[in-house]
Amino acid sequence: MIISLKEIALLTESEIFGDEGLFINKPARIEEAETGDLTFLYLSQYAKYLESTKAAAIFVKPGFQKTRKDITYLEVKDPNKAFAKVLIHFFNNVSELIGIDKSAFIDATATIGNNVSIGKNVVISANCKIGDNTKIFHNTVLLENVEVGSNSLLYQNISVRENCKIGDGVIIHANSVIGSDGFGYIQNEKKEYQKIPQIGNVVIEDNVEIGSNVSLDRAALGSTLIKKGTKIDNLVQVAHNVVIGEHTAISGQTGISGSSKVGNYCVFGGQVGLAGHLEIGDGVMLAAQSGVAKSITKPGIYFGSPAKDRTEAFRTEGHLRNLENYVERIKALEKKISELEEKLNK
Amino acid sequence: MIISLKEIALLTESEIFGDEGLFINKPARIEEAETGDLTFLYLSQYAKYLESTKAAAIFVKPGFQKTRKDITYLEVKDPNKAFAKVLIHFFNNVSELIGIDKSAFIDATATIGNNVSIGKNVVISANCKIGDNTKIFHNTVLLENVEVGSNSLLYQNISVRENCKIGDGVIIHANSVIGSDGFGYIQNEKKEYQKIPQIGNVVIEDNVEIGSNVSLDRAALGSTLIKKGTKIDNLVQVAHNVVIGEHTAISGQTGISGSSKVGNYCVFGGQVGLAGHLEIGDGVMLAAQSGVAKSITKPGIYFGSPAKDRTEAFRTEGHLRNLENYVERIKALEKKISELEEKLNK
Amino acid sequence: MIISLKEIALLTESEIFGDEGLFINKPARIEEAETGDLTFLYLSQYAKYLESTKAAAIFVKPGFQKTRKDITYLEVKDPNKAFAKVLIHFFNNVSELIGIDKSAFIDATATIGNNVSIGKNVVISANCKIGDNTKIFHNTVLLENVEVGSNSLLYQNISVRENCKIGDGVIIHANSVIGSDGFGYIQNEKKEYQKIPQIGNVVIEDNVEIGSNVSLDRAALGSTLIKKGTKIDNLVQVAHNVVIGEHTAISGQTGISGSSKVGNYCVFGGQVGLAGHLEIGDGVMLAAQSGVAKSITKPGIYFGSPAKDRTEAFRTEGHLRNLENYVERIKALEKKISELEEKLNK
């Protein structure tokens, strides 16, 4: 693939400093770029690769010090976003899957839209509905009454349990489980657990993306709900009756306990844990490994376990780093006090 | 489904205040209930929905203030348990699967009980034994010599490795792995890892439930053992030679390292981590995100990383919240001391 | 299987104290050994089983106090390593799988080596290459252009996405996902996430072992790379463009964020979290549940969240345990100061 730099500059609204007639071979990371490639510089820790990169062109911020004369610079406010736009525009192809494989099982009562692709050994159970242009890869299993919208993409070895609803433009990565039973029991008088039937479902709205090896539990009653535009990373646990708002991003290995509600436009780092029955408002950002035991209503950045407001958490962190110093100061005070006492007693 | 409120009151030993002749449409959460539904009030944070709920009847605690006159109240000691009993009694149906699908592979040497259901593309390898009434959903794979008891339920895309034993009334959710190799190596003189063969198995006793995307590693020698009645949530890691006692509940994303033994009637929150070779006694409760590096013999509640007894952990938490105050007090002391010293030197 | 103790002593370079003509039935853990078994004593907490073990022979350290006369002792520097050598030598057999099953799909353009075993319902897509003696178990799916080397072992229900490269002697456990999309988005002006195409792949070098339910994301550009000899435990998350060095061990449920580079000969405990774009040097050991937000260049042992050098982390831990004491000392100082002030004012 050969792309004109002018076309890239137009797409990204960036300004060319250097060879305007350049053609690019492919996009690449700064440290891996080969002759003719396009790259970008965004985080300062990658600046060290500028001297040696073989890239022909590079996105940089306006006013960047252009020390190398053999590279063409593209100045733009957000070099990383501009680079992403190039990827989105020129490389937005997905894994190949064409037609409905004859080894797939599709129940006679299922409704399959136009231009749907279904891979080998896929199971589409009774009363399922699959929308137009949706692709379902090999060995994925949908139990009865599952609905998948249009233009969605389900990779391999996914398990979707009965009655779950998946919207349009949804991507689910391999080996994820949608609609496994919630972890709900009552203890009898002998302290043995009795299973509470989990008769709800999971609803995934449009344009949601779910990573690989994710577990989204079905609701005990009603629906576990992932609202539109939200992105969930790998190995995340979403318990029964959780609601996650719109355009929220949940990083890998995070766990959200039962019946908690997460707002819109939240961002959670990796390995975050939320207790059950909490309400997390819109615009809450939780740093990685945060543990949240109480509801958070105010937008802002929180971290720690238990999670605190960023200002408070940083202050506590600072004090912890200084503990040694505080202890020394207590010792010094004790020494001085006994010296003073001695003086006074004389 | 229409259920008589009298029948519900009888089942749950609750007292009706209101319309004794009522019939219920379905159970529902208080904030989602529609006209004619049955709900319950248990946690105080849901009381705000009482005013607006459309439910026809509600389980409440004895002596509850009955402000709304258009709702029928069911007074009972544990409203949540009463509600669960209704679900268990009237809604205990599982996903549909009938008969043995012709696309399933069942080795000629396998023994299959009566009334067993086996889904599409299931693989039952040599010398496997499947008990009566057990259901194995699509695309699940059992390697050789696996035994599954009666009335058990294995969902889709599960992998069971050779020689593992699964009891009666066991439920395993989709995409879990039973019997993957333990993480066991020795380093040679070049510090390269050499794999130690993991020749044991996994034994899952009766009435255990295993969540989705769980990894239960086989023992290096002998058995990794999950004792009867224990419930394990999604994405949990159980390492080789771990023993988990009876009627214990392990929440999502918890990890238990090799050869550790967990007692009976324990409850672990989510994302708990246990080091290897520990002994955790009966009745130990670990709060979410606890990290346990030493054995715990005394029943009780523990939390933190490293995990401490609740009283001690709360005290440390309290001191951490007060660090700012302590530091101010140290500063004040330092000021006073130097004032006193000045005074004395005059 | 009957093994001569002399042969075992020769293999492990250990010295026999007792019955040199002994034959061993099988290896076993000290607390589970039956008559005629071989066991070992390594960790002190297992010494309590010495009195009652039924083992016929036991590996112990040189100079071990041989109180029981009915057991034959094998003295060797590292009893656990000697025992492992016995397992490796006599029990290194893997799960059975022979030939290419007729239910497997192998694309006409795929290249399959000699003596390859392929299980039921396996999907080998266009242009895949599988090396000699490699085994691929049931229901595993390889999308197009995947390469697997020789003598590798892929268990059940694994998903490998397009273009990923897997070396020789690699083991991948059940239900793992190789090459799912990285978690990469840009936000548009409405704060909606737009997916950045993940056009790179995953490269797994020779002799790597990957646990079950692991997610290894493909690179946005270039390769996510796991170098030779590295071992990754269950439920680990490796994000896009991560590089993990040679002969490194990553324990269960650890998560490594995007573009971070981990050195050679590192050891990470369970549930460790690494932020993105970090560099972790060779020989870094991270204790379980550590959270790393900054690069670590110096070899050594680190723990805590945020992770600190062991010495510093232990000191902080110690201070935390003593907080109660420090607070008491501040109170005592305040009391003494006010007494002194009173004295002076008189």
Side-chain angles (χ1 to χ4, degrees):
Chain A
M1 195 173 204
I2 297 291
I3 315 161
S4 129
L5 200 67
K6 269 192 187 151
E7 197 182 349
I8 287 171
L10 207 67
L11 172 75
T12 58
E13 301 179 46
S14 57
E15 193 180 347
I16 301 177
F17 292 83
D19 181 357
E20 300 216 348
L22 200 65
F23 282 79
I24 290 305
N25 288 341
K26 65 171 196 299
R29 290 163 63 89
I30 190 166
E31 72 270 39
E32 296 166 350
E34 297 175 294
T35 310
D37 287 354
L38 169 70
T39 192
F40 72 110
L41 185 55
Y42 169 53
L43 296 171
S44 58
Q45 64 255 52
Y46 291 92
K48 64 184 172 189
Y49 297 113
L50 181 66
E51 212 178 321
S52 58
T53 187
K54 293 182 188 155
I58 184 165
F59 283 113
V60 294
K61 287 187 185 169
F64 185 81
Q65 185 83 22
K66 297 172 193 65
T67 46
R68 278 185 63 179
K69 301 300 174 195
D70 58 337
I71 288 184
T72 295
Y73 298 87
L74 287 155
E75 280 196 358
V76 65
K77 194 184 150 213
D78 294 310
N80 58 325
K81 288 194 176 179
F83 190 79
K85 273 183 193 167
V86 174
L87 287 171
I88 291 168
H89 189 81
F90 294 105
F91 295 91
N92 211 354
N93 47 353
V94 298
S95 315
E96 278 175 38
L97 188 70
I98 295 160
I100 296 178
D101 195 89
K102 65 182 193 300
S103 68
F105 170 81
I106 299 172
D107 192 89
T109 61
T111 310
I112 309 294
N114 295 315
N115 193 33
V116 167
S117 307
I118 298 181
K120 293 172 194 305
N121 312 316
V122 167
V123 178
I124 311 273
S125 302
N127 301 313
C128 285
K129 286 181 188 153
I130 312 295
D132 296 346
N133 309 313
T134 282
K135 289 172 192 275
I136 300 179
F137 276 76
H138 320 295
N139 289 16
T140 280
V141 174
L142 278 53
L143 297 193
E144 63 271 17
N145 299 315
V146 167
E147 292 180 20
V148 183
S150 301
N151 301 303
S152 288
L153 181 55
L154 275 65
Y155 280 102
Q156 309 106 287
N157 286 314
I158 291 168
S159 298
V160 187
R161 288 269 307 276
E162 65 276 14
N163 304 323
C164 291
K165 310 296 171 207
I166 297 168
D168 298 338
V170 170
I171 302 172
I172 304 179
H173 290 281
N175 290 62
S176 280
V177 178
I178 312 300
S180 41
D181 285 356
F183 199 59
Y185 306 92
I186 52 169
Q187 281 185 298
N188 67 14
E189 64 292 341
K190 288 189 275 180
K191 289 173 71 184
E192 296 165 352
Y193 291 102
Q194 284 188 279
K195 183 176 179 65
I196 302 173
Q198 305 289 304
I199 62 177
N201 71 348
V202 174
V203 174
I204 297 175
E205 292 187 353
D206 298 345
N207 301 316
V208 165
E209 184 164 353
I210 307 283
S212 56
N213 285 315
V214 167
S215 290
L216 298 188
D217 276 353
R218 65 198 308 104
L221 293 161
S223 298
T224 301
L225 174 60
I226 314 295
K227 291 190 183 170
K228 68 177 181 189
T230 279
K231 311 298 179 183
I232 293 180
D233 199 3
N234 304 333
L235 291 157
V236 166
Q237 147 82 342
V238 176
H240 50 184
N241 285 97
V242 163
V243 176
I244 302 181
E246 300 176 2
H247 308 297
T248 277
I250 309 280
S251 300
Q253 296 180 320
T254 285
I256 303 179
S257 302
S259 299
S260 279
K261 288 179 169 55
V262 176
N264 304 323
Y265 304 104
C266 291
V267 179
F268 291 4
Q271 299 182 334
V272 164
L274 257 71
H277 300 282
L278 303 184
E279 300 208 8
I280 306 298
D282 295 348
V284 169
M285 304 183 77
L286 291 168
Q289 294 194 327
S290 295
V292 185
K294 289 180 182 164
S295 292
I296 298 176
T297 52
K298 221 180 105 187
I301 302 175
Y302 298 79
F303 70 84
S305 179
K308 301 186 184 84
D309 171 84
R310 177 168 62 163
T311 318
E312 196 189 336
F314 269 127
R315 209 180 304 147
T316 303
E317 268 304 318
H319 286 319
L320 282 175
R321 265 196 302 274
N322 285 331
L323 270 180
E324 185 78 9
N325 169 267
Y326 301 147
V327 175
E328 288 309 316
R329 281 158 72 180
I330 291 173
K331 282 184 195 160
L333 282 167
E334 287 170 336
K335 195 169 163 237
K336 279 190 185 171
I337 285 272
S338 59
E339 285 168 4
L340 283 180
E341 285 180 321
E342 222 172 295
K343 247 191 203 171
L344 276 176
N345 289 340
K346 270 179 200 167
Chain B
M1 195 176 204
I2 298 289
I3 315 160
S4 130
L5 199 68
K6 270 194 188 149
E7 199 183 347
I8 287 171
L10 207 70
L11 173 75
T12 58
E13 301 179 46
S14 57
E15 195 180 346
I16 302 177
F17 292 81
D19 181 0
E20 300 217 346
L22 201 64
F23 282 79
I24 290 304
N25 289 341
K26 65 171 197 297
R29 290 162 64 87
I30 188 165
E31 71 271 37
E32 295 167 351
E34 297 175 294
T35 310
D37 287 353
L38 170 71
T39 191
F40 72 110
L41 184 55
Y42 168 54
L43 295 171
S44 57
Q45 64 256 49
Y46 291 91
K48 62 184 175 191
Y49 297 113
L50 182 65
E51 213 179 320
S52 59
T53 186
K54 294 182 189 155
I58 184 165
F59 282 113
V60 293
K61 287 188 183 169
F64 185 80
Q65 185 83 22
K66 297 173 192 66
T67 47
R68 279 186 61 178
K69 301 302 173 192
D70 57 336
I71 289 183
T72 295
Y73 299 87
L74 287 155
E75 281 197 355
V76 65
K77 195 184 149 211
D78 294 311
N80 59 325
K81 287 193 176 179
F83 190 79
K85 273 183 193 167
V86 173
L87 287 171
I88 291 168
H89 189 80
F90 295 105
F91 296 91
N92 211 353
N93 45 355
V94 298
S95 316
E96 279 175 37
L97 188 71
I98 294 160
I100 296 177
D101 196 89
K102 64 181 195 297
S103 67
F105 170 81
I106 299 172
D107 192 90
T109 61
T111 310
I112 309 295
N114 295 315
N115 193 33
V116 166
S117 307
I118 297 180
K120 292 174 194 303
N121 312 317
V122 167
V123 178
I124 311 272
S125 303
N127 301 312
C128 284
K129 288 182 189 153
I130 312 296
D132 297 346
N133 308 314
T134 282
K135 289 172 192 278
I136 300 179
F137 276 77
H138 320 294
N139 289 15
T140 280
V141 174
L142 278 53
L143 297 193
E144 64 270 17
N145 298 315
V146 167
E147 293 179 20
V148 183
S150 302
N151 301 304
S152 287
L153 181 54
L154 274 66
Y155 280 102
Q156 310 106 286
N157 287 315
I158 291 169
S159 298
V160 187
R161 288 271 306 276
E162 66 276 14
N163 304 323
C164 292
K165 309 297 173 207
I166 297 168
D168 298 339
V170 170
I171 302 172
I172 303 179
H173 289 282
N175 290 62
S176 281
V177 178
I178 312 299
S180 41
D181 284 357
F183 198 60
Y185 306 91
I186 51 168
Q187 281 185 297
N188 68 14
E189 63 292 341
K190 288 188 275 179
K191 289 174 71 187
E192 296 164 351
Y193 291 102
Q194 284 189 281
K195 183 176 178 65
I196 302 173
Q198 305 289 304
I199 62 176
N201 71 347
V202 174
V203 174
I204 297 175
E205 292 187 353
D206 298 346
N207 302 316
V208 165
E209 185 164 352
I210 307 283
S212 56
N213 285 315
V214 167
S215 290
L216 298 188
D217 276 352
R218 66 196 309 105
L221 293 161
S223 299
T224 301
L225 174 60
I226 315 295
K227 292 190 182 170
K228 69 178 180 190
T230 279
K231 311 298 180 184
I232 293 180
D233 199 2
N234 304 333
L235 292 157
V236 166
Q237 146 82 342
V238 176
H240 51 184
N241 285 98
V242 163
V243 176
I244 302 181
E246 300 175 3
H247 309 297
T248 277
I250 309 281
S251 300
Q253 297 180 320
T254 284
I256 303 180
S257 302
S259 299
S260 279
K261 288 180 169 55
V262 176
N264 304 322
Y265 304 104
C266 291
V267 178
F268 291 4
Q271 298 181 333
V272 164
L274 258 71
H277 300 283
L278 302 185
E279 301 209 7
I280 306 297
D282 296 348
V284 170
M285 303 182 78
L286 292 167
Q289 293 193 327
S290 296
V292 185
K294 289 182 184 166
S295 293
I296 298 177
T297 51
K298 222 180 104 190
I301 302 175
Y302 298 79
F303 70 84
S305 179
K308 301 186 184 86
D309 172 83
R310 178 169 60 163
T311 319
E312 197 188 337
F314 270 127
R315 209 181 300 148
T316 302
E317 268 305 317
H319 285 319
L320 282 175
R321 265 195 303 274
N322 286 331
L323 271 180
E324 186 78 9
N325 168 268
Y326 301 147
V327 175
E328 289 309 315
R329 282 159 71 180
I330 291 173
K331 282 183 195 160
L333 282 166
E334 287 169 338
K335 195 169 163 236
K336 279 191 185 171
I337 284 272
S338 61
E339 286 168 3
L340 283 180
E341 285 180 323
E342 221 172 293
K343 248 191 204 172
L344 275 175
N345 289 338
K346 271 181 197 167
Chain C
M1 195 174 203
I2 297 291
I3 315 160
S4 129
L5 199 68
K6 269 193 187 149
E7 197 181 349
I8 288 171
L10 208 68
L11 172 76
T12 58
E13 300 179 47
S14 56
E15 192 180 348
I16 301 177
F17 291 82
D19 181 359
E20 300 216 347
L22 200 65
F23 282 79
I24 289 305
N25 288 341
K26 67 172 194 300
R29 289 163 64 90
I30 189 166
E31 73 270 37
E32 296 166 349
E34 297 174 294
T35 310
D37 287 353
L38 170 70
T39 191
F40 72 110
L41 184 55
Y42 168 53
L43 295 171
S44 57
Q45 64 255 50
Y46 292 91
K48 62 184 174 191
Y49 298 113
L50 181 66
E51 212 178 320
S52 59
T53 186
K54 293 180 188 156
I58 185 166
F59 283 113
V60 293
K61 288 187 184 170
F64 185 81
Q65 185 83 22
K66 297 173 193 67
T67 46
R68 278 186 62 178
K69 302 300 172 194
D70 58 335
I71 288 183
T72 295
Y73 298 87
L74 287 155
E75 281 196 356
V76 65
K77 193 183 151 214
D78 293 310
N80 58 325
K81 287 194 177 180
F83 190 78
K85 273 184 192 167
V86 173
L87 287 171
I88 291 167
H89 190 80
F90 295 104
F91 296 90
N92 211 354
N93 46 353
V94 298
S95 314
E96 278 176 37
L97 188 71
I98 294 161
I100 296 178
D101 195 89
K102 65 181 192 300
S103 67
F105 170 81
I106 298 172
D107 192 90
T109 60
T111 311
I112 309 295
N114 295 315
N115 193 33
V116 166
S117 307
I118 297 180
K120 292 172 195 304
N121 312 318
V122 166
V123 178
I124 311 272
S125 303
N127 302 312
C128 285
K129 287 182 189 154
I130 312 295
D132 297 345
N133 308 313
T134 283
K135 289 173 192 277
I136 300 178
F137 277 75
H138 320 294
N139 289 14
T140 280
V141 174
L142 278 53
L143 297 193
E144 64 271 17
N145 299 315
V146 167
E147 293 181 19
V148 183
S150 302
N151 301 303
S152 287
L153 181 55
L154 275 64
Y155 280 102
Q156 309 106 285
N157 287 314
I158 291 169
S159 298
V160 187
R161 288 270 307 276
E162 66 276 14
N163 305 322
C164 292
K165 309 296 171 205
I166 298 168
D168 298 338
V170 170
I171 302 173
I172 303 178
H173 289 281
N175 290 62
S176 280
V177 178
I178 312 300
S180 41
D181 285 356
F183 199 60
Y185 306 91
I186 51 168
Q187 281 185 297
N188 67 14
E189 65 291 341
K190 288 188 275 179
K191 289 174 71 186
E192 297 165 351
Y193 291 102
Q194 285 189 279
K195 183 176 178 63
I196 302 173
Q198 305 289 305
I199 63 177
N201 71 348
V202 174
V203 174
I204 297 175
E205 292 188 353
D206 299 345
N207 302 316
V208 165
E209 184 164 354
I210 307 283
S212 56
N213 286 315
V214 167
S215 290
L216 298 188
D217 276 353
R218 66 198 307 107
L221 292 160
S223 298
T224 301
L225 174 59
I226 314 295
K227 291 191 183 169
K228 69 178 180 188
T230 279
K231 311 297 181 185
I232 293 180
D233 200 1
N234 304 333
L235 292 157
V236 166
Q237 147 81 342
V238 177
H240 51 183
N241 285 98
V242 163
V243 176
I244 302 182
E246 300 176 4
H247 309 297
T248 277
I250 309 281
S251 300
Q253 297 179 319
T254 284
I256 303 179
S257 302
S259 299
S260 279
K261 288 181 169 55
V262 176
N264 305 322
Y265 304 104
C266 291
V267 178
F268 291 4
Q271 299 182 333
V272 164
L274 258 70
H277 299 283
L278 302 185
E279 301 208 8
I280 306 297
D282 295 348
V284 169
M285 304 181 78
L286 291 167
Q289 294 193 327
S290 295
V292 185
K294 288 183 183 163
S295 293
I296 298 177
T297 51
K298 223 180 104 188
I301 302 175
Y302 298 79
F303 70 84
S305 179
K308 301 186 184 86
D309 171 85
R310 178 167 62 163
T311 318
E312 196 188 336
F314 270 127
R315 209 181 302 147
T316 302
E317 268 305 318
H319 286 319
L320 282 175
R321 265 195 302 275
N322 285 332
L323 270 180
E324 187 78 9
N325 169 267
Y326 301 146
V327 175
E328 288 309 315
R329 282 159 71 181
I330 291 173
K331 282 183 195 161
L333 283 167
E334 287 169 336
K335 197 171 161 235
K336 279 191 185 171
I337 284 273
S338 59
E339 285 168 3
L340 283 180
E341 285 180 320
E342 222 173 294
K343 248 191 204 171
L344 275 176
N345 289 339
K346 270 180 200 167

